[in-house]
Amino acid sequence: MIDNRLTVLNLYELKKTPEDFEIAVGALARRVEAEGHPGVLSYRFFVNASERTARGVIDYNDPDAWIGHHDIAMSWPEMTALHAAATLAEVIFLGPLTSEIQAWIDSSALTARVRNGNIFAGGFQRLSGWSNE
């Protein structure tokens, strides 16, 4: 069900060049796609070179997938490379931030501002590719 899905918006402040961020996040995305948690539905990143910031938009099947993804990927060298290229400044949860996620965050080294309370109100998701043909 879409009402239990979780979307996370990450704000990064670049420590290195936009190109360094693109290289790091490209390698991480390839590994997440190939070896990551199956509950990661989409993993998209955007860079704003003039502001020296970047955004991540990650869609999870459910809150457990968020935990599973982080349990798998946090020790990868690709994640270390991302952290070398950018600092995670803010995490916005669109959907449930469960007590299990909060416990994971509390036990982590996360220093980013965490914003939550955004509960699904309505909408839909197309399950197949969209075409305007």
Side-chain angles (χ1 to χ4, degrees):
M1 294 184 68
I2 192 170
D3 61 345
N4 197 42
R5 294 265 168 98
L6 176 62
T7 297
V8 174
L9 307 176
N10 289 339
L11 171 63
Y12 299 91
E13 295 171 353
L14 299 185
K15 295 190 221 177
K16 295 185 176 180
T17 68
E19 295 78 17
D20 289 328
F21 179 83
E22 290 175 16
I23 291 166
V25 81
L28 179 59
R30 286 188 297 277
R31 184 146 184 206
V32 169
E33 184 178 23
E35 300 175 37
H37 192 280
V40 177
L41 303 177
S42 67
Y43 206 63
R44 299 172 291 146
F45 293 84
F46 306 83
V47 67
N48 186 323
S50 64
E51 292 184 4
R52 298 201 40 80
T53 61
R55 298 270 181 180
V57 181
I58 303 105
D59 292 304
Y60 299 93
N61 189 56
D62 55 36
D64 290 340
W66 185 95
I67 293 170
H69 164 65
H70 287 86
D71 283 348
I72 291 169
M74 289 305 291
S75 64
W76 288 348
E78 293 87 349
M79 187 67 78
T80 301
L82 172 59
H83 293 153
T87 299
L88 181 58
E90 182 179 72
V91 180
I92 300 173
F93 283 82
L94 302 178
L97 189 155
T98 62
S99 59
E100 293 85 2
I101 290 176
Q102 188 62 59
W104 194 101
I105 290 170
D106 291 344
S107 69
S108 76
L110 182 69
T111 59
R113 182 171 72 171
V114 175
R115 300 177 72 186
N116 67 322
N118 303 293
I119 303 304
F120 183 75
F124 71 93
Q125 179 178 356
R126 296 190 194 282
L127 298 178
S128 60
W130 181 80
S131 173
N132 65 0
E133 292 179 22

